[in-house]
């Protein structure tokens, strides 16, 4: 049996830009081929193999070459060195308004963008109502897109890109401008088309989404590939280096993870290490209450910042003045106020 080739295959891929001292030097180079300039390699000597149906996250700091790589795959940039083969129809959401005519209405841009993607007009006409319903822009569909907000623009662009299931879907951080509800709708759709065999290439600075959506990551730094492989390992490497750059440190304290010590000195140490402390610590008339919360990393050190994939321990110091059973609950939320996880001493069967 013949083995199907990868849907994306790059060997020694590189992209170099010339940086000029002035527009005059740029003109001289265009006319004569000579000028004062220097080379900037946005991507250098990259080898990449993406199998059909695979979801790959491209991570790295700004300027690392992520968007350049996606544009080379999408065919909107020409390579400087190496080779790249893309075997399938590509839908790319690279930047707001790409492929849209700002003077055309939303309706006209649906058919324009569809034609650019190679989708037959008859197919677009059949799916037009579905596209408009997904975009949720209502009567604005007949207004020029130059009057759209960034959120409306990305809604319509994404709706067109996924109207017909592509072989490859490229998403480059564009969804970050939408509201949280539309983002959730988009990610649901991405998972649906991935289940139908679409290959996903995804760029985001939200490592939680990358971890949940992708089965492999490619970590780029200043145009070079630092890591290719399992998401957790790549994300931890990226976040670890990012923390070093930003100078985020975790203070080291003696561990209090052994048997609880309720001496005055131990309680005072809890208080000093606390991420949160009650304002009525010394109010002896209060009923059962939480006094402070200490968060520790997997090494027993107080921590306010931890890397993805690390274990956390929550130490909750509370005072009991009741005879009825008391239980402690912990609820973790993300920045959108959505519950990520919750647990309690009751559900864990703890005294």
């Amino acid at each position: 049996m013949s083995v199907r080739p990868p849907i994306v295959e790059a060997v020694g891929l590189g992209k170099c830009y010339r940086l000029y001292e002035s527009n005059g030097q740029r003109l001289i180079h265009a006319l004569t081929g000579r000028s004062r300039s220097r080379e900037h390699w946005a991507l250098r000597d990259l080898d990449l193999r993406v199998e059909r149906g695979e979801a790959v996250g491209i991570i790295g700091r700004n300027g690392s070459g992520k968007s350049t790589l996606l544009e080379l795959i999408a065919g909107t940039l020409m390579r400087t060195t190496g080779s790249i083969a893309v075997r399938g129809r590509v839908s790319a959401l690279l930047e707001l308004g790409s492929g849209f005519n700002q003077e055309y209405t939303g309706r006209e841009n649906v058919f324009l963008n569809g034609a650019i993607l190679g989708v037959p007009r008859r197919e677009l006409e059949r799916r037009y109502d579905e596209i408009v319903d997904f975009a949720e822009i209502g009567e604005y569909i007949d207004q020029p897109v130059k009057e759209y907000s960034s959120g409306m623009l990305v809604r319509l662009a994404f709706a067109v890109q996924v109207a017909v299931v592509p072989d490859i879907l490229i998403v480059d951080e564009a969804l970050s401008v939408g509201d949280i509800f539309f983002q959730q709708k988009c990610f649901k759709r991405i998972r649906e088309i991935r289940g139908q065999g679409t290959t996903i290439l995804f760029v985001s600075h939200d490592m939680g989404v990358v971890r949940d959506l992708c089965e492999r990551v490619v970590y780029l730094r200043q145009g070079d590939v630092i890591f290719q492989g399992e998401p957790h390992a790549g994300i931890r490497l990226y976040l670890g280096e990012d923390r070093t750059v930003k100078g985020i440190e975790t203070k080291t304290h003696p561990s209090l993870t052994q048997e609880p010590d309720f001496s005055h000195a131990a309680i005072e140490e809890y208080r000093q290490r606390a991420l949160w402390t009650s304002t009525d610590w010394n109010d002896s008339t209060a009923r059962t209450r939480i006094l402070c919360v200490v968060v520790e990393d997997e090494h027993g050190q107080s921590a306010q910042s931890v890397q993805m994939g690390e274990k956390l321990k929550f130490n909750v110091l509370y005072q009991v003045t009741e005879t009825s059973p008391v239980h402690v609950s912990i609820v973790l939320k993300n920045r959108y106020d959505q519950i990520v996880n919750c647990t309690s001493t009751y559900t864990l069967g703890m005294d």
Side-chain angles (χ1 to χ4, degrees):
M1 295 179 62
S2 61
V3 179
R4 297 182 70 185
I7 197 164
V8 177
E9 187 173 20
V11 178
L13 187 63
K15 178 62 180 178
C16 179
Y17 294 95
R18 284 196 170 274
L19 303 181
Y20 300 92
E21 296 179 358
S22 65
N23 288 331
Q25 291 296 325
R26 185 185 299 273
L27 178 60
I28 292 173
H29 184 269
L31 295 175
T32 67
R34 298 189 301 274
S35 69
R36 289 192 296 272
S37 64
R38 59 187 177 88
E39 293 183 343
H40 170 68
W41 286 88
L43 209 63
R44 189 193 302 269
D45 197 26
L46 180 140
D47 293 335
L48 178 66
R49 181 184 176 100
V50 180
E51 303 298 337
R52 296 177 185 274
E54 194 175 15
V56 179
I58 315 295
I59 63 175
R61 304 186 74 191
N62 291 334
S64 61
K66 304 186 300 298
S67 296
T68 299
L69 173 59
L70 295 190
E71 289 185 53
L72 288 167
I73 295 173
T76 57
L77 272 183
M78 296 295 293
R79 69 187 186 278
T80 303
T81 60
S83 64
I84 182 168
V86 179
R87 305 177 176 96
R89 186 171 67 83
V90 178
S91 285
L93 199 62
L94 295 175
E95 58 181 275
L96 291 179
S98 57
F100 279 10
N101 185 316
Q102 295 296 305
E103 300 298 328
Y104 285 11
T105 66
R107 183 188 301 270
E108 292 168 331
N109 271 294
V110 167
F111 293 99
L112 172 64
N113 208 235
I116 293 173
L117 293 172
V119 181
R121 185 179 179 87
R122 181 175 299 177
E123 181 71 9
L124 286 171
E125 290 174 344
R126 188 172 70 84
R127 293 185 176 270
Y128 178 77
D129 290 340
E130 177 185 331
I131 293 171
V132 176
D133 289 343
F134 191 97
E136 298 178 357
I137 58 176
E139 61 187 15
Y140 288 97
I141 192 67
D142 289 313
Q143 299 297 319
V145 298
K146 65 182 180 181
E147 300 176 4
Y148 285 16
S149 67
S150 58
M152 293 168 63
L153 198 61
V154 76
R155 284 169 183 252
L156 185 59
F158 185 84
V160 175
Q161 296 289 344
V162 299
V164 180
V165 177
D167 297 311
I168 304 171
L169 176 64
I170 296 176
V171 181
D172 185 4
E173 200 62 56
L175 297 181
S176 61
V177 302
D179 60 69
I180 180 60
F181 303 107
F182 187 72
Q183 286 181 27
Q184 291 173 339
K185 185 176 181 178
C186 290
F187 288 126
K188 179 181 179 182
R189 178 61 177 153
I190 289 173
R191 291 185 176 93
E192 288 175 354
I193 64 175
R194 184 190 172 194
Q196 298 175 47
T198 293
T199 300
I200 309 293
L201 297 176
F202 185 74
V203 165
S204 177
H205 291 289
D206 189 332
M207 294 299 105
V209 175
V210 172
R211 178 199 60 191
D212 294 341
L213 184 65
C214 303
E215 61 198 80
R216 183 160 65 93
V217 299
V218 176
Y219 172 25
L220 298 177
R221 186 176 63 199
Q222 296 180 344
D224 295 320
V225 176
I226 302 302
F227 175 89
Q228 291 193 55
E230 193 272 330
H232 267 99
I235 290 170
R236 292 190 69 167
L237 176 63
Y238 164 65
L239 292 179
E241 293 185 348
D242 199 41
R243 284 156 60 91
T244 301
V245 171
K246 294 179 180 179
I248 301 175
E249 297 181 353
T250 301
K251 294 182 178 179
T252 302
H253 294 276
S255 175
L256 290 179
T257 58
Q258 294 81 25
E259 286 297 316
D261 178 2
F262 295 119
S263 66
H264 176 77
I267 291 176
E268 184 59 29
E269 184 175 2
Y270 261 98
R271 186 177 181 180
Q272 295 300 319
R273 301 174 60 203
L275 182 66
W276 174 87
T277 304
S278 171
T279 56
D280 63 348
W281 180 281
N282 296 315
D283 184 2
S284 59
T285 64
R287 304 185 69 192
T288 297
R289 65 220 172 107
I290 294 176
L291 295 176
C292 69
V293 178
V294 177
V295 181
E296 296 179 334
D297 63 18
E298 55 192 4
H299 305 295
Q301 300 173 353
S302 297
Q304 294 188 29
S305 299
V306 294
Q307 295 184 24
M308 182 174 292
E310 284 188 357
K311 294 180 180 179
L312 283 178
K313 180 176 180 179
F314 290 83
N315 301 275
V316 181
L317 184 64
Y318 61 96
Q319 184 180 54
V320 179
T321 57
E322 303 178 47
T323 57
S324 57
V326 173
H327 289 283
V328 175
S329 297
I330 297 175
V331 178
L332 301 180
K333 295 183 178 182
N334 63 15
R335 57 183 172 174
Y336 303 116
D337 203 37
Q338 298 168 305
I339 294 178
V340 176
N341 195 10
C342 61
T343 189
S344 70
T345 54
Y346 178 80
T347 56
L348 294 175
M350 300 171 62
D351 292 335

